[in-house]
Amino acid sequence: PYAIAKIAGIKLCESFNRQYGESHNIDYRCLMPTNLYGPGDTYDDQNSHVIPALIKRIHEAKIKNIDNVKIWGTGNVKREFLHVKDLALAAIFIMNLPKSTIDKYTSETCSQINIGSGEDITIKELAKTISKIIGYDGELKFDLSKPDGTPRKLMDNTIAKELGWEPKINLIEGLKSTYENYKQNLNPY
């Protein structure tokens, strides 16, 4: 359902551009972000994404002196992540480009521009990195009875790069600032 909603939104914008672009000076631009993380994320046990889930579980394990943290799957799948501030900067950057520039890289029926870091990391390496940032020395236990999901999700962000946009926040710095934000706003979930 989530993917269908995103595709429907893109197709709606493309339709508006075709139908009302010239007559009403409409110029909708569609960005397709990769997995996002950063301040204000959801740390709910049932509904959070991988980074906030790992931050919360590993932080709680450290505070409660729990000797291991369980993580779904093998940890071998790869995911790409982008800090929310980088997405905001990408949106502003793309909105400010001339229509003629955007038109060189998109078409009426394929208008989305992928916004991502261009790098991926295994869930295992991500969990180790978060553990190091938090200062947790316990064991990371991967639950092989749980599903891994798609082996790899890495977007092609060539168009964004060719337009002149690149992310500014690397994953390590982004995770550090996200963890600091989490500690400052310890979520009641």
Side-chain angles (χ1 to χ4, degrees):
Y2 180 65
I4 291 169
K6 290 195 314 188
I7 293 166
I10 289 168
K11 293 303 170 189
L12 177 68
C13 289
E14 290 172 352
S15 296
F16 282 153
N17 283 343
R18 283 194 308 273
Q19 188 168 357
Y20 301 112
E22 288 183 33
S23 64
H24 291 79
N25 197 29
I26 287 177
D27 178 20
Y28 290 116
R29 298 173 185 192
C30 300
L31 304 184
M32 180 65 68
T34 190
N35 298 301
L36 300 172
Y37 71 98
D41 215 328
T42 300
Y43 295 89
D44 179 79
D45 289 329
Q46 303 301 316
N47 297 311
S48 63
H49 293 132
V50 65
I51 287 178
L54 288 173
I55 287 174
K56 182 178 182 193
R57 278 192 238 149
I58 294 169
H59 172 82
E60 287 181 352
K62 177 184 175 185
I63 299 303
K64 296 176 182 177
N65 291 316
I66 298 170
D67 63 357
N68 68 75
V69 173
K70 290 181 184 169
I71 302 169
W72 276 29
T74 64
N76 296 325
V77 298
K78 290 184 163 190
R79 295 293 180 266
E80 175 184 19
F81 299 99
L82 184 74
H83 196 278
V84 293
K85 288 182 182 179
D86 276 329
L87 176 61
L89 292 171
I92 292 166
F93 178 83
I94 299 295
M95 283 189 300
N96 286 318
L97 290 174
K99 184 177 181 340
S100 59
T101 301
I102 293 294
D103 288 347
K104 290 177 189 173
Y105 293 91
T106 63
S107 70
E108 287 185 340
T109 58
C110 189
S111 67
Q112 79 273 2
I113 298 170
N114 293 338
I115 303 297
S117 65
E119 299 175 0
D120 55 5
I121 185 173
T122 66
I123 298 302
K124 188 178 291 180
E125 284 302 313
L126 177 67
K128 287 179 183 178
T129 300
I130 291 172
S131 291
K132 185 176 179 181
I133 289 167
I134 291 174
Y136 176 68
D137 296 325
E139 181 183 2
L140 301 173
K141 285 190 171 184
F142 292 87
D143 185 350
L144 304 182
S145 71
K146 301 293 185 187
D148 261 342
T150 304
R152 188 175 191 204
K153 291 185 181 180
L154 179 64
M155 299 179 95
D156 178 357
N157 65 350
T158 303
I159 291 174
K161 282 186 171 184
E162 288 180 3
L163 287 167
W165 178 85
E166 288 195 43
K168 306 277 186 256
I169 302 170
N170 71 47
L171 185 61
I172 303 291
E173 293 308 312
L175 290 172
K176 286 178 182 176
S177 68
T178 300
Y179 179 56
E180 289 304 314
N181 181 263
Y182 171 77
K183 287 191 302 184
Q184 291 170 4
N185 301 293
L186 275 175
N187 207 319
Y189 293 112

